[in-house]
Amino acid sequence: MNKNKLKALVLMVGAIFMAFLMVNATSQAARMDMVDVSNNNGYMSTTEYTSMRNEFGVKAVTVKISEGGTYKDPYAASNIANVQAAGMYINGYHFARYATKAQAIAEADFAGKTAKAAGLPVGAVLATDVEAEEQNNQSKATNDRNNAAFMQEIQKFGYRSDIYTSGSWANNKMTIKGKTGWIAAYPYVVSGKNWYSTNHAWQWSSTAKFRISYGGFDVSQLNSNYYTAGQKSKVKPTNKAAVKANNKHIYKPSNSAKWVKESKTYTLKTAVKLRTGASTSSNAIAVLPAGTTIKTDQAIIQGGYRWVRQPRFNGYGYLATGPASDTLEYVKSGATHTYYTVKSGDSWWTIAQRNGLSMTTLASQNGKTIYTTIYPGQRLVVR
């Protein structure tokens, strides 16, 4: 064969091969290896977890165990039991609120005891979720010290440790070494991406959909066997089209859903995320602890949840009161008030100052004006 023709043929074959590799790489869907769940997802059944495993190839589930030094996720025990019944690897995480080494150790002790009580098996990962305002206010060195203290303490309970944080915080707000860490970063189009491949896990979506489960879920691609107990899982998805659909981030809201006016007061039964929009994919403004009282002005049922709108000083916040199947699962109606009994010598001004209120606010929430006379023994609502 003519050498020039042979050279041209080789170049053409090489170009075709490279084009094939490029197309194959860019069309590769991110895997749904691990799901993390919390009280925000509500009760999750064994049937739902089995569907995640069989249809979507989910190998492991990481459940919220605790937060700070007092909050225990009410669904931790049922999540752990149901995940295990579905034949999946189970892990846990603690939402960190610590800002000092002493607080980190105390939270690790609390998380470890709570995990034991909920049934998290020895040898599972119990990661520290570091993304709160408390850590944002600390230096990188302080966060590193606190994270190390938490992880060292949690190992005393027989659990393996790791750090979960955002891609913007990793190695900026804290050190995340290679072959460690679970990093969250969400590209608009996921297909063809393989971010944080040197870390244990990459959480690539917080809005993943599963066929028989309500709402959006956090999903991660595992880059090691750390979250599968050091074992190589053979679980593969049977519904590859559904996995690819989640990579596209295209979710159309229902056109039939409409906001309705409501002027109500709720008290949270459990911790709930206050978000910038009525969607599980909206950014979280804050995590409101159980017992928090909120006032709302509108409500809607969409995306598998009932959402309410809370007027705020700089706009609005949105939170779910429960899944569509139990729209008030996370709240109870009516405010839980704090009362003060008027004593001799008290006035609207002294009571208001003591409780951080203006006289007008204090009087109006008791159906009075600041010119109304109050008497010793009278009970006033101060919160």
Side-chain angles (χ1 to χ4, degrees):
M1 183 182 289
N2 183 287
K3 288 184 178 181
N4 288 332
K5 288 184 177 180
L6 177 60
K7 184 177 181 180
L9 180 62
V10 170
L11 290 172
M12 181 179 70
V13 171
I16 293 172
F17 180 67
M18 288 302 295
F20 170 78
L21 287 179
M22 290 296 291
V23 169
N24 190 53
T26 56
S27 62
Q28 183 69 37
R31 299 187 308 274
M32 303 172 75
D33 294 328
M34 184 168 73
V35 173
D36 56 282
V37 296
S38 70
N39 59 290
N40 287 326
N41 300 106
Y43 177 79
M44 296 288 295
S45 67
T46 299
T47 301
E48 289 178 277
Y49 286 127
T50 301
S51 172
M52 289 180 175
R53 183 198 67 195
N54 292 344
E55 296 180 51
F56 296 83
V58 176
K59 303 171 178 63
V61 178
T62 299
V63 308
K64 183 174 183 178
I65 299 296
S66 51
E67 179 175 335
T70 58
Y71 177 76
K72 301 176 181 179
D73 193 294
Y75 295 103
S78 62
N79 277 326
I80 290 168
N82 293 342
V83 167
Q84 290 178 306
M88 303 159 81
Y89 293 97
I90 183 71
N91 302 288
Y93 75 90
H94 168 80
F95 191 94
R97 291 289 184 182
Y98 50 74
T100 67
K101 182 178 178 180
Q103 290 172 348
I105 293 172
E107 287 192 25
D109 286 334
F110 174 69
K113 292 174 183 176
T114 304
K116 290 282 188 182
L120 188 69
V122 169
V125 175
L126 207 171
T128 178
D129 179 349
V130 187
E131 56 177 313
E133 191 63 27
E134 288 85 348
Q135 293 91 45
N136 190 35
N137 293 330
Q138 309 305 317
S139 67
K140 182 180 179 182
T142 298
N143 283 328
D144 285 346
R145 180 198 64 192
N146 296 344
N147 291 341
F150 180 97
M151 292 191 292
Q152 182 177 356
E153 190 70 15
I154 208 66
Q155 291 172 12
K156 295 179 181 179
F157 293 86
Y159 297 123
R160 292 177 295 133
S161 59
D162 201 14
I163 301 172
Y164 168 93
T165 194
S166 67
S168 61
W169 279 31
N171 296 313
N172 290 310
K173 286 289 183 181
M174 69 201 73
T175 302
I176 304 292
K177 297 179 181 179
K179 299 182 179 180
T180 70
W182 171 21
I183 312 300
Y186 311 143
Y188 183 73
V189 177
V190 184
S191 293
K193 307 294 194 305
N194 189 26
W195 293 0
Y196 300 100
S197 59
T198 61
N199 299 105
H200 286 317
W202 165 40
Q203 186 186 91
W204 52 267
S205 177
S206 62
T207 59
K209 305 294 182 182
F210 292 97
R211 186 175 63 83
I212 65 172
S213 298
Y214 285 116
F217 290 81
D218 296 338
V219 295
S220 301
Q221 178 170 285
L222 298 179
N223 300 315
S224 73
N225 298 330
Y226 193 70
Y227 283 85
T228 55
Q231 306 296 313
K232 186 174 182 180
S233 174
K234 296 181 180 180
V235 172
K236 293 183 179 180
T238 58
N239 191 346
K240 294 182 179 179
V243 175
K244 289 183 178 179
N246 274 299
N247 274 246
K248 294 179 182 177
H249 281 210
I250 300 175
Y251 307 122
K252 295 181 179 179
S254 170
N255 293 326
S256 60
K258 293 183 179 179
W259 286 95
V260 295
K261 290 184 178 180
E262 73 156 36
S263 180
K264 291 187 177 181
T265 300
Y266 297 103
T267 301
L268 300 184
K269 297 178 184 177
T270 184
V272 174
K273 286 184 179 179
L274 183 68
R275 299 181 181 273
T276 56
S279 168
T280 54
S281 62
S282 297
N283 292 331
I285 299 172
V287 177
L288 304 180
T292 300
T293 298
I294 59 164
K295 294 183 179 180
T296 68
D297 67 349
Q298 291 191 15
I300 192 172
I301 295 179
Q302 65 178 15
Y305 290 88
R306 179 180 183 272
W307 295 88
V308 292
R309 189 175 78 170
Q310 178 197 42
R312 292 167 59 81
F313 71 94
N314 59 347
Y316 297 97
Y318 301 82
L319 67 153
T321 59
S325 58
D326 184 2
T327 56
L328 298 180
E329 180 178 339
Y330 309 151
V331 300
K332 54 185 176 182
S333 297
T336 301
H337 295 304
T338 299
Y339 292 88
Y340 173 78
T341 301
V342 179
K343 297 179 177 61
S344 178
D346 279 338
S347 66
W348 286 116
W349 186 85
T350 59
I351 298 170
Q353 287 293 303
R354 198 175 298 138
N355 291 279
L357 302 170
S358 68
M359 287 193 295
T360 302
T361 298
L362 176 62
S364 64
Q365 69 187 21
N366 284 277
K368 305 180 186 303
T369 74
I370 61 174
Y371 303 107
T372 304
T373 302
I374 54 176
Y375 301 93
Q378 188 174 351
R379 296 178 77 215
L380 298 177
V381 174
V382 293
R383 283 183 180 81

